[in-house]
Amino acid sequence: SIQPRVSKRYLHKRINKKEVAFVEEVTKVSIATASLAVSGGRANMASVLEGWTLSSCLLVAGLPAFIYAIQGVLYIFSYQNLDSVTFNGLAQTKTL
């Protein structure tokens, strides 16, 4: 219930929501990659990435990734425009 309040206080209404969502996603990918590298070392990274290609990645994860990115932008928009109780209620019920 704190996220909508913090966002309303510190994010201006005219902020570029796409940029905020992009920075959030880049941060998540960076943390996940660092965790993978630290947990298993180089050998584990090599085995995880073996056989990986950009085309196979886009084929399998392209549409879900696009939908997830749109959802991130809509979340920012919604918690800037809804009160905390409404936002959390809709998010908890997966309506939002």
Side-chain angles (χ1 to χ4, degrees):
S1 71
I2 196 166
Q3 183 181 7
R5 290 184 208 153
V6 170
S7 296
K8 280 183 182 179
R9 181 173 180 154
Y10 295 108
L11 292 179
H12 195 274
K13 286 247 188 218
R14 287 186 278 163
I15 194 167
N16 188 337
K17 292 161 186 59
K18 292 176 192 171
E19 288 179 8
V20 173
F22 181 74
V23 169
E24 285 178 356
E25 296 309 314
V26 167
T27 303
K28 289 177 192 176
V29 168
S30 300
I31 291 171
T33 304
S35 298
L36 182 62
V38 169
S39 68
R42 283 190 155 213
N44 190 34
M45 277 291 267
S47 69
V48 168
L49 295 176
E50 185 178 322
W52 183 88
T53 63
L54 181 60
S55 60
S56 67
C57 178
L58 291 175
L59 182 65
V60 173
L63 182 61
F66 178 74
I67 292 170
Y68 187 72
I70 298 296
Q71 182 185 23
V73 172
L74 294 175
Y75 257 74
I76 294 166
F77 182 75
S78 62
Y79 60 62
Q80 283 185 332
N81 292 298
L82 297 172
D83 63 283
S84 332
V85 175
T86 304
F87 173 81
N88 284 320
L90 291 172
Q92 294 281 329
T93 60
K94 304 298 183 205
T95 306
L96 185 61

